[in-house]
Amino acid sequence: MAKNKLNKNWLHDHINDPFVKLAQKEGYRARAAYKLKEIDEDEKLIKPGQVIVDLGSTPGSWSQYVRNKLAGAGGGGIHGTVIGLDMLPMDPIADVHFILGDFREEDSLRQLEEVLRGRKVDVVLSDMAPNLSGVAIADAARVEHVVDLAIEFARVHMKPTGALLVKCFNGTGYNELLHKFRAEFKTVVSKKPKASRANSSEIFLLGKVLKNPS
């Protein structure tokens, strides 16, 4: 009974969520687009001409936002490159290169290199999150692993002056992640956008400029 009530409450909140309504109105696949939008507007992350990679891109709302930001006023393509990677399929988005697979594996990396053509990435975005069990220590380890993957990807593929934005959770293990980011980047800020539900521990870490570029 309690679970049914919880599900009903979530459904009620979801249907009445202003960001859900806005996403439906503006054609975004998920309300998550507005989390990136607010962070981008605060931090001036996404600019025309950039190469941007969206890790864990499915269903695609972050890639949609980036694509729209890089689109010319008159339409007809974008000024920049957007690459989405995910192990789950994603419906096509105009002007977005999508790679289906694990970005640690050779086939996916080969496809990535074909799109990059020797270029380094300006911004790496990661809205990836593991399946959480509710056991704080186990979940912290899973989140840390996902963040580590994003950091390693940025080390290899990102410009030294680039930026990495990752999703994590403010709780067990968060201070360790913050410490890792501060070890990797010259500037680190945490962001809790308005579109991130108040009752969620979700928080985003943004690192700018690698301290020890490879």
Side-chain angles (χ1 to χ4, degrees):
M1 286 292 289
K3 189 175 181 182
N4 286 341
K5 186 177 179 183
L6 195 66
N7 288 341
K8 281 181 181 175
N9 287 344
W10 180 89
L11 190 60
H12 177 271
D13 290 346
H14 184 76
I15 290 169
N16 292 286
D17 186 315
F19 291 105
V20 171
K21 292 178 178 177
L22 195 57
Q24 291 167 346
K25 180 183 174 184
E26 296 188 342
Y28 284 111
R29 296 175 182 178
R31 66 193 297 286
Y34 300 100
K35 301 173 190 176
L36 178 58
K37 182 176 188 285
E38 184 179 329
I39 295 169
D40 175 42
E41 288 174 350
D42 283 351
E43 298 291 331
K44 308 290 187 290
L45 271 185
I46 297 159
K47 299 166 187 169
Q50 287 179 328
V51 178
I52 297 173
V53 170
D54 182 7
L55 300 176
S57 56
T58 303
S61 64
W62 276 26
S63 288
Q64 282 181 300
Y65 172 78
V66 174
R67 187 261 166 213
N68 291 344
K69 187 76 185 284
L70 299 183
I78 61 171
H79 181 36
T81 302
V82 187
I83 305 164
L85 295 105
D86 206 302
M87 294 167 69
L88 298 173
M90 184 176 86
D91 289 337
I93 299 169
D95 306 308
V96 174
H97 303 270
F98 177 65
I99 298 168
L100 176 63
D102 187 332
F103 61 78
R104 295 168 295 176
E105 293 181 356
E106 195 173 312
D107 185 54
S108 297
L109 288 172
R110 180 183 53 76
Q111 292 180 65
L112 176 66
E113 293 301 338
E114 284 175 6
V115 180
L116 289 176
R117 300 193 308 276
R119 296 173 297 170
K120 289 285 190 179
V121 179
D122 293 281
V123 181
V124 178
L125 304 171
S126 172
D127 197 27
M128 296 188 296
N131 292 324
L132 300 178
S133 64
V135 179
I137 293 174
D139 289 344
R142 290 174 183 176
V143 171
E144 183 175 5
H145 176 63
V146 168
V147 172
D148 281 344
L149 293 178
I151 290 173
E152 185 57 33
F153 182 92
R155 273 203 206 110
V156 174
H157 298 286
M158 197 175 77
K159 288 179 181 176
T161 54
L164 170 65
L165 177 69
V166 303
K167 174 162 74 178
C168 56
F169 298 90
N170 193 355
T172 304
Y174 172 72
N175 287 336
E176 285 79 1
L177 292 179
L178 193 58
H179 179 73
K180 279 190 177 190
F181 254 65
R182 286 175 175 160
E184 294 288 341
F185 297 97
K186 291 185 179 177
T187 303
V188 177
V189 292
S190 59
K191 311 293 287 186
K192 175 73 173 177
K194 294 182 184 70
S196 185
R197 290 189 171 99
N199 61 356
S200 169
S201 63
E202 175 186 75
I203 195 166
F204 294 86
L205 282 177
L206 174 64
K208 294 180 180 179
V209 187
L210 287 164
K211 283 185 173 178
N212 301 297
S214 54

